[in-house]
Amino acid sequence: MFKKIIVLVVLFSSMCSFSQGNDTVNSFKLQREEQLRKAVQKGFKPLNDFENLFNQTEAEKLVEMLIDFKKETGIEISIFTINSEFTNKENFEKFTLGLANFLPSLVERKMTINISKEFRRIRIQNSDELVKLISDEETKEKVNSYFVSSYKEGKYFEGTFFGVKSLMELLKAKIQTPK
């Protein structure tokens, strides 16, 4: 836990140092980062849609799927949509890694799916335990086949829903779940 807090402090402080030119912008970014940190500290939230990519029905469908999967397999998946209020394009990957490491969780097998329409990026962070189950190549194949192909058409819900579903099927095939 201490290691995760240190990583987050380093991550947030490095992000803050990139935006020291304008005090108003710097203050706003610090406030948004603090809001994100507080939201994450409240516990597991399957969907954190800060870009408002999903309507209420879509969000509920995604959350239900994520919760059911966790109950069935013990694997925790959370989705974040992230915009420039939290980080910039250049630091997107560092930010998502820091976020994944900071998420409070009682499970060792977890995945964060980080989407940014604004930056045109997606990054999936797998815990060390999940890396033992699925490779980066397998994850990348799912991202390209489902997420990216739909996102190019502006279909964020479809890409996310079917992309997550395909990752879940891959994970289920690789684990033995209790009956």
Side-chain angles (χ1 to χ4, degrees):
M1 181 67 176
F2 181 74
K3 180 180 170 187
K4 290 179 182 181
I5 292 172
I6 295 297
V7 168
L8 185 66
V9 168
V10 170
L11 174 71
F12 283 152
S13 65
S14 68
M15 285 188 297
C16 295
S17 67
F18 288 110
S19 61
Q20 292 184 3
N22 184 332
D23 287 342
T24 305
V25 171
N26 190 31
S27 174
F28 180 74
K29 285 190 180 256
L30 285 172
Q31 180 183 16
R32 294 299 294 169
E33 289 167 5
E34 179 68 13
Q35 288 174 337
L36 179 59
R37 186 183 63 73
K38 285 180 181 176
V40 169
Q41 281 182 329
K42 288 181 182 176
F44 172 69
K45 235 179 137 181
L47 177 63
N48 305 274
D49 187 13
F50 297 109
E51 283 192 304
N52 299 312
L53 294 183
F54 312 113
N55 65 39
Q56 184 173 351
T57 303
E58 294 168 340
E60 288 170 358
K61 194 170 185 178
L62 287 169
V63 168
E64 181 181 352
M65 180 173 64
L66 296 171
I67 289 172
D68 289 347
F69 184 72
K70 183 180 178 187
K71 286 177 185 174
E72 182 181 346
T73 65
I75 297 172
E76 189 172 272
I77 299 176
S78 52
I79 300 170
F80 288 85
T81 64
I82 300 166
N83 58 27
S84 60
E85 294 179 87
F86 298 107
T87 189
N88 57 35
K89 189 174 185 175
E90 294 75 31
N91 291 312
F92 181 76
E93 295 215 9
K94 284 185 204 173
F95 181 80
T96 62
L97 180 60
L99 185 60
N101 287 331
F102 184 70
L103 277 175
S105 178
L106 299 176
V107 300
E108 292 185 11
R109 298 187 301 181
K110 62 183 179 176
M111 171 188 290
T112 59
I113 300 170
N114 306 278
I115 304 161
S116 178
K117 178 180 180 182
E118 180 179 346
F119 302 144
R120 298 182 54 139
R121 297 225 174 162
I122 179 170
R123 177 68 175 151
I124 297 179
Q125 301 286 0
N126 293 323
S127 67
D128 292 340
E129 290 299 313
L130 278 190
V131 170
K132 295 174 186 175
L133 291 176
I134 59 174
S135 68
D136 285 344
E137 291 77 26
E138 290 171 309
T139 303
K140 212 177 277 188
E141 187 273 321
K142 298 296 184 187
V143 166
N144 291 332
S145 297
Y146 294 94
F147 293 89
V148 174
S149 61
S150 293
Y151 292 176
K152 284 180 180 178
E153 298 174 21
K155 298 178 180 177
Y156 286 90
F157 171 72
E158 292 82 356
T160 304
F161 182 81
F162 292 111
V164 170
K165 196 171 182 88
S166 71
L167 286 166
M168 289 175 171
E169 290 168 0
L170 176 63
L171 287 165
K172 282 181 188 178
K174 298 219 176 196
I175 63 173
Q176 295 179 2
T177 56
K179 302 280 182 198

